[in-house]
Every structure is written in structure tokens, then in C-alpha cells.
């Protein structure tokens, strides 16, 4: 267990129902709260389809009051916490990266591009479409018929495409060829695993056996950001999460993220956010506490 898991627990909804790579369950208000009122991350990717009622929850640094019908799209790194639920009924889908169809894995590496807003208001027609997919997935998951995993994978694929389509944007990542998709996937995996101590594009290019220029060109053309921006945003986001949810000192956060010292961390954070870590922490906590 690493430091962030100690500060911010990681829950695995799939393990709760005896599954490993995919789970779908229908939750009532009692189940929505409980342990979910503790700040936490969830293993894998998660969709929550709010069918009825309302919920109030924190997602990273924002408090959301969410009214049905709505879709909540959560990546594996995001921190969230339920505050309350009012007559809420939800269908929650949790899945690992490995469960996805190969084509979809490249898309999910640009989760932020596809689901930049984690809470998506849904029109009735779109809700009906998503509900069809969730009901079919529920039935297959519950009955465990032969080859049900294949059917669920394809239904999940359709659910994700439908969800992304609701944003009404044409995403370059949805048009990548197989080579680009594979490179984006491999780069994102390496950044997720090494962002604490590897901060240069050249280091990731070496791991992927390509030139820094080629890596940067592919990342920029597919997700609209430079490779360095992706690395820096990952480090800044983790710093923000620790500043808001954790009890570490600035020096401990700087050490965890492999900065030379807390002074350098202070300058780096201010360069990318416009605020010092201390000011960000004080402002965001005063806003919600």
C-alpha cells in the first residue's frame, strides 16, 4: 500500500460482488452512503447512472448537487465522497482497463477528453438508450450464461460510445488509428506509473523506444495537449488532491512527488496554477468547510 492509499483509501466495487474486471449493481440510498461518505478512490473506471432522486457528493475539489437523470463518469485517480442522498436510485458500473475491448482502451486513455465534465445531464431520449444497455448488462451479469462476458464487453462498449456522443464533440482520440491508439495507451500507462519521479518527455520516449519529437507529435495531435502538459497536469492534480484531502505537510507532499525541496514544489505549483500550494489549500478548504 502506497502513501496515497493510506491517506485516501481505494475501494473495489468489483471485489465486493466477487468479480475481478467488471461489476454492475443497482443501489438504493442506504447503500449509496455508508462507507462512501469517506473520501476515497475506486478501483478502475466507474459510471453511475442516477435514475431517481438526488445525491450530493464531492468529486476531487468540487461539491456537486446532482439531480436525476444524470450520468457521473469517474476515472480511477479521482477522489470522491458522498455527502447525502435523497430518494436516490443508481446503477453503478465498474470495470478495469483490461476488461475493455482493445479499440476502447485507447479511447479511455483520454478519459478527460471524452468526459471533461464528470457530471453529465441527460435528456430523456439519451437516458432511455443508456438504460437499455444497463438493463442488458445487469441481466447478463446476474445470470452468468455461457459467453456472457463477450456480450457484456460489447454492451459496455456501446454504453461508453453513447455516453461520449452525448457531449456533442468530435474527439480526435475517437478517430485514432491502431498505432496511435497503442502509443497513447502506453504513454498514459507509463505516466500513471511514473509521474512521481519521471518528469521529462525524453524519459517516456526512451521507455517507448521512440524520439521525444514523435511522442509529442502523436500526443498533441490526438488529445490536444503536449506530452509535457500531460505529465505536468498529472503531477499538479495529484498535488491538489493531497492538499485538499490529505493531512501531509508541504514538505511531505514535495518529497512524495520527488521535488528537490518544498521551495521548488512551491514555485512549480504556482507556475502551473497561479497560486502557491498553501493558498490553494486554504482557499479550497474554506470554500467547502
Amino acid at each position: 500500500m502506497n502513501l496515497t492509499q493510506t491517506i485516501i483509501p481505494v475501494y473495489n466495487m468489483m471485489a465486493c460482488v466477487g468479480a475481478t474486471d467488471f461489476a454492475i449493481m443497482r443501489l438504493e440510498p442506504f447503500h449509496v452512503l455508508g462507507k462512501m461518505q469517506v473520501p476515497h478512490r475506486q478501483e478502475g473506471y466507474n459510471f453511475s447512472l442516477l435514475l431517481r432522486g438526488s445525491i450530493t457528493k464531492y468529486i476531487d475539489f468540487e461539491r456537486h448537487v446532482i439531480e436525476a437523470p444524470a450520468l457521473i463518469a469517474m476515472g480511477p485517480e479521482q477522489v470522491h465522497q458522498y455527502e447525502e442522498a435523497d430518494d436516490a436510485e443508481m446503477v453503478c458500473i465498474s470495470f478495469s482497463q483490461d476488461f475493455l475491448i482493445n479499440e476502447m482502451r485507447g479511447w479511455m486513455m483520454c478519459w478527460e477528453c471524452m468526459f471533461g465534465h464528470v457530471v453529465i445531464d441527460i435528456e430523456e431520449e439519451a437516458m432511455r438508450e443508456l438504460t437499455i444497455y444497463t438493463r442488458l448488462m445487469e441481466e447478463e451479469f446476474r445470470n452468468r450464461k455461457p459467453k456472457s462476458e463477450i456480450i457484456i464487453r460489447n454492451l459496455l462498449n456501446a454504453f461508453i460510445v453513447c455516453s461520449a456522443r452525448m457531449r456533442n464533440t468530435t474527439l480526435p482520440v475517437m478517430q485514432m488509428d491502431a498505432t496511435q491508439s497503442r502509443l497513447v495507451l502506453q504513454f498514459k500507462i507509463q505516466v500513471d506509473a511514473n509521474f512521481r519521479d519521471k518528469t521529462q518527455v525524453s524519459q517516456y520516449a526512451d521507455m517507448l523506444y521512440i524520439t521525444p519529437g514523435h511522442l509529442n507529435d502523436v500526443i498533441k495531435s490526438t488529445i490536444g495537449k503536449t506530452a509535457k502538459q500531460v505529465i505536468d497536469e498529472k503531477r499538479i492534480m495529484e498535488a491538489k488532491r493531497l492538499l485538499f484531502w490529505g493531512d501531509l505537510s508541504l514538505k511531505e507532499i514535495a518529497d512524495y512527488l520527488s521535488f528537490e525541496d518544498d521551495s521548488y514544489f512551491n514555485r512549480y505549483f504556482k507556475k502551473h496554477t497561479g497560486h502557491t500550494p498553501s493558498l490553494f489549500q486554504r482557499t479550497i478548504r474554506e470554500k467547502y468547510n
Side-chain angles (χ1 to χ4, degrees), residues 10-14 21-25 27 36 40-49 57 59 71-78 80 82 90-97 100 108 111 115 118 156 159-160 163:
V10 179
Y11 296 156
N12 189 330
M13 190 180 90
M14 295 170 283
D21 290 314
F22 175 88
I24 182 168
M25 62 177 67
L27 301 178
M36 297 298 188
H40 63 282
R41 289 180 164 121
Q42 289 193 27
E43 191 78 23
Y45 295 93
N46 293 269
F47 285 107
S48 295
L49 194 59
K57 70 178 298 185
I59 302 173
L71 176 68
I72 306 165
M74 299 285 298
E77 300 299 322
Q78 290 177 286
H80 47 127
Y82 284 89
M90 301 170 62
V91 175
C92 297
I93 303 168
S94 182
F95 54 95
S96 70
Q97 182 188 115
L100 294 169
M108 301 306 279
W111 181 270
F115 305 107
V118 294
L156 177 61
F159 182 97
I160 293 170
S163 301

Side-chain angles (χ1 to χ4, degrees), residues 125-148:
E125 183 178 347
M127 186 67 168
R128 283 195 294 271
E129 186 175 357
L130 291 178
T131 301
I132 290 171
Y133 296 133
T134 57
R135 286 176 178 167
L136 290 170
M137 283 189 280
E138 283 182 286
E139 183 177 347
E140 289 293 332
F141 186 70
R142 180 174 58 251
N143 295 329
R144 309 293 176 99
K145 296 177 182 178
K147 306 297 183 181
S148 62

